[in-house]
């Protein structure tokens, strides 16, 4: 093999290893799992320290706020499994008892630590009919508008 091809081969090998290492470390740092509370809390130890997006519902009467601060502690649940969460920051207007939420953060032995801006509360659907809502029938008395 000529020295020219050896240099090219070595350069390709070094660049390939560098890009492979960069790709691996980027993926390792940016990996974030999307899980439901019941999936994680069945066996929580394997999830400790990993970045998670945790989906659940705020348990009724569980929201506690430290006086004169933005420190919150609350419980979220799904299918009978619960986890205590702590968050420091401004919560969305729709964050309340029973709200569907997705929290970004890390699970630990004391509960789920939510990262800054890591509380997302789902907006209730504005298009769901209430059970007591009157049924509107179309108004056939109005004449149809036709193009002239």
């Amino acid at each position: 093999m000529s020295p020219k091809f050896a240099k090219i081969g070595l350069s390709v090998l070094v660049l390939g290893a560098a890009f492979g290492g960069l790709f691996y470390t980027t993926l390792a740092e940016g990996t974030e799992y999307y899980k439901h509370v019941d999936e994680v809390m069945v066996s929580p130890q394997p999830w400790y320290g990993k970045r998670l997006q945790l989906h659940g519902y705020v348990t009724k009467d569980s929201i506690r706020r430290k006086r004169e601060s933005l420190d919150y502690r609350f419980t979220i649940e799904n299918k009978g499994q619960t986890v205590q969460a702590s968050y420091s920051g401004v919560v969305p207007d729709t964050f309340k008892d029973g709200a569907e939420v997705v929290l970004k953060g890390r699970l630990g032995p004391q509960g789920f630590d939510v990262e800054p801006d890591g509380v997302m509360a789902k907006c209730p659907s504005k298009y769901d009919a209430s059970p007591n809502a009157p049924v509107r029938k179309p108004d056939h008395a109005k004449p149809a508008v036709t193009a002239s």
Side-chain angles (χ1 to χ4, degrees):
M1 189 189 290
S2 71
K4 184 177 182 181
F5 287 122
K7 287 180 182 178
I8 291 174
L10 183 62
S11 297
V12 168
L13 183 65
V14 168
L15 286 174
F19 282 124
L22 182 63
F23 184 69
Y24 176 76
T25 56
T26 301
L27 283 180
E29 291 173 6
T31 302
E32 190 170 75
Y33 298 94
Y34 182 91
K35 294 288 184 181
H36 293 266
V37 172
D38 56 304
E39 294 174 306
V40 171
M41 295 313 291
V42 168
S43 179
Q45 288 82 7
W47 298 104
Y48 286 172
K50 293 184 179 174
R51 290 182 52 140
L52 295 173
Q53 287 191 22
L54 196 60
H55 177 268
Y57 299 86
V58 178
T59 306
K60 184 177 171 134
D61 298 326
S62 71
I63 300 172
R64 303 284 183 255
R65 180 177 168 202
K66 189 185 281 187
R67 185 174 291 168
E68 303 295 327
S69 75
L70 295 176
D71 294 337
Y72 290 86
R73 291 194 58 80
F74 53 94
T75 305
I76 61 170
E77 65 176 340
N78 194 39
K79 297 184 182 177
Q81 296 287 331
T82 63
V83 64
Q84 183 74 29
S86 58
Y87 174 67
S88 185
V90 177
V91 295
D93 292 339
T94 54
F95 180 79
K96 58 185 176 183
D97 289 347
E100 185 175 357
V101 294
V102 176
L103 307 176
K104 286 185 176 185
R106 295 180 190 273
L107 182 65
Q110 278 71 39
F112 195 78
D113 292 322
V114 184
E115 64 188 40
D117 297 324
V119 175
M120 295 172 280
K122 182 178 177 188
C123 296
S125 177
K126 296 177 183 169
Y127 304 107
D128 288 342
S130 110
N132 300 328
V135 177
R136 285 190 60 195
K137 294 182 181 177
D139 189 1
H140 296 291
K142 293 183 181 177
V145 178
T146 57
S148 343

